[in-house]
Amino acid sequence: MPFTPLHSAFARWTRLGLWRRLGQRLALDWRRARGDEVVPSAVVADSRSLRSAPSAWARGIDGGKLVKGVKLVAVCDKHGSLLDLALGPATVDDRAGTPPLLPQLAGLGFQGDLLGDSGLKGAPFAAAALVHDIHVSVSPGGTRDDQFLPCGIRWVVERLFAWLSRYRRLNIVYDRQPDLFAAHVWIAMISIISRRLVAHTQAQQAV
């Protein structure tokens, strides 16, 4: 297929929010296939700083991770399925980058616990979440010597970032608009969950 019509279709579907809706639908379908309630009772939020090219829509410096680029804030369920995401300069901390996701999670029907590390600690963020009947639960993300500390199901978001890092297109941000990069993230998640569903269906049929 020629590049021009292919990119035009990709951009049009991005503007319509098709990738996001399809990714969320598959995430909920996977929960149903696993015998869980369609809407989760708890979600996990965390961020990942990504290097970006000078042509990217925004650049900032994450002083803690020494990364010059953008920050991806992701919210997932216990299976590591992406439910929503937000993008901003790497200088934006988690407490400022996560609030835009709260009404979107509420729009999915979610009311429950939002698990995160100390980056989400603070009364203003907790109060903003309570407006949407979302309760913030904060636990340490690591030890004092910078060793990763698994806690409950909160580690699944780290696994999600590991899955996404296998797609080289997502490790450095080149896009001039944030919605275009977000579309690539959703396409990667669609690929991951689609393979899960196909394997699950084949296993069920084999039984």
Side-chain angles (χ1 to χ4, degrees), residues 96-159:
T98 309
L101 296 176
L102 297 176
Q104 299 177 27
L105 289 172
L108 290 175
F110 172 71
Q111 294 178 350
D113 296 326
L114 187 151
L115 312 179
D117 58 18
S118 55
L120 296 179
K121 187 177 181 180
F125 178 72
L130 278 176
V131 173
H132 303 282
D133 292 324
I134 297 174
H135 302 269
V136 179
S137 177
V138 174
S139 58
T143 62
R144 292 185 176 180
D145 55 351
D146 295 328
Q147 297 295 314
F148 176 67
L149 181 65
C151 183
I153 66 167
R154 203 175 56 74
W155 64 273
V156 297
V157 70
E158 305 296 342
R159 185 178 62 182

Side-chain angles (χ1 to χ4, degrees), residues 52-134:
S52 66
S55 60
W57 76 90
R59 298 186 89 188
I61 298 178
D62 184 337
K65 299 177 182 176
L66 301 179
V67 174
K68 185 175 183 179
V70 303
K71 180 168 287 187
L72 165 66
V73 180
V75 177
C76 69
D77 68 357
K78 69 177 184 179
H79 299 293
S81 301
L82 181 65
L83 296 177
D84 221 326
L85 62 89
L87 296 166
T91 49
V92 177
D93 65 18
D94 291 1
R95 283 183 294 267
T98 309
L101 296 176
L102 297 176
Q104 299 177 27
L105 289 172
L108 290 175
F110 172 71
Q111 294 178 350
D113 296 326
L114 187 151
L115 312 179
D117 58 18
S118 55
L120 296 179
K121 187 177 181 180
F125 178 72
L130 278 176
V131 173
H132 303 282
D133 292 324
I134 297 174

Side-chain angles (χ1 to χ4, degrees), residues 166-182:
R166 297 176 183 174
Y167 294 81
R168 292 185 297 172
R169 177 66 177 77
L170 303 181
N171 291 325
I172 300 179
V173 182
Y174 297 97
D175 302 275
R176 296 179 183 273
Q177 297 295 330
D179 58 343
L180 296 179
F181 180 75

